[in-house]
């Protein structure tokens, strides 16, 4: 998170990640969690939503065309732009605006969830590498093959 210049999120992802905005996260369980919470709050966010009316102070709400906004943002932003949210990722991927996919594999079995890519979307990826992170998490990095 400390490498990110900006975070892009859809509504559901933003609402889930607001957990890290809580001041209670400063006294969280581990130093890694406390550090992530600080970095999350410090990183500017752009939230794409047609239903939200307001966002936290370090976030900007966009209810217009995500593709146009992201094209402009990529042209004017130095550094890493992080994207979160299945629908937003699928849309920006189809538009050719995703340079790299970072999939974090957590050793937890969940009973469901939203597919990361919409059904019918075919995506050929080229592996860039893997990295073992703390808490048993594995980072898988891929780039679009085209």
């Amino acid at each position: 998170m400390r490498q990110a210049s900006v975070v892009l999120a859809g509504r559901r992802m933003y609402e889930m990640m607001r957990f890290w905005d809580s001041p209670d996260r400063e006294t969280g369980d581990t130093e890694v969690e406390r550090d992530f919470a600080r970095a999350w709050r410090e990183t500017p966010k752009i939230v794409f939503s047609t239903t939200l009316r307001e966002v936290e102070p370090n976030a900007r709400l966009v209810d217009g065309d995500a593709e146009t906004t992201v094209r402009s943002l990529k042209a004017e932003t130095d550094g890493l732009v992080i994207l979160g949210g299945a629908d937003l990722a699928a849309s920006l991927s189809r538009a050719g605006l995703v340079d790299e996919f970072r999939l974090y594999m957590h050793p937890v079995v969940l009973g469901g969830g939203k597919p990361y890519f919409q059904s019918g979307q075919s995506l050929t990826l080229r592996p860039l590498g893997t990295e073992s992170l703390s808490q048993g998490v594995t980072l898988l990095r891929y780039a679009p093959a085209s």
Side-chain angles (χ1 to χ4, degrees):
M1 183 55 66
R2 291 232 176 264
Q3 297 172 1
S5 295
V6 65
V7 171
L8 310 178
R11 179 192 54 85
R12 281 179 291 242
M13 180 60 74
Y14 174 71
E15 288 178 335
M16 182 183 76
M17 294 301 289
R18 287 190 57 202
F19 166 84
W20 296 103
D21 286 323
S22 168
D24 295 341
R25 301 304 342 140
E26 285 293 323
T27 58
D29 298 330
T30 68
E31 181 55 36
V32 170
E33 290 176 354
R34 290 188 294 272
D35 187 51
F36 181 86
R38 283 188 294 272
W40 172 259
R41 283 193 299 278
E42 293 167 3
T43 304
K45 290 159 231 24
I46 298 176
V47 182
F48 295 91
S49 174
T50 58
T51 57
L52 285 177
R53 294 294 160 237
E54 61 182 45
V55 291
E56 294 297 318
N58 201 17
R60 176 170 54 115
L61 185 60
V62 174
D63 66 358
D65 179 25
E67 208 175 298
T68 301
T69 301
V70 173
R71 283 187 198 287
S72 175
L73 181 71
K74 284 182 71 166
E76 60 192 41
T77 301
D78 289 328
L80 187 63
V81 177
I82 293 179
L83 163 63
D87 290 339
L88 184 59
S91 170
L92 296 178
S93 175
R94 279 192 307 276
L97 293 170
V98 177
D99 300 320
E100 182 178 324
F101 294 91
R102 293 183 179 189
L103 307 174
Y104 294 87
M105 303 299 292
H106 293 259
V108 176
V109 176
L110 301 175
K114 186 170 195 144
Y116 198 75
F117 299 104
Q118 296 172 352
S119 62
Q121 182 180 359
S122 177
L123 186 63
T124 305
L125 300 174
R126 178 175 44 89
L128 297 176
T130 63
E131 184 180 343
S132 293
L133 306 174
S134 60
Q135 297 94 17
V137 174
T138 301
L139 166 60
L140 306 169
R141 296 178 51 232
Y142 295 92
S146 57

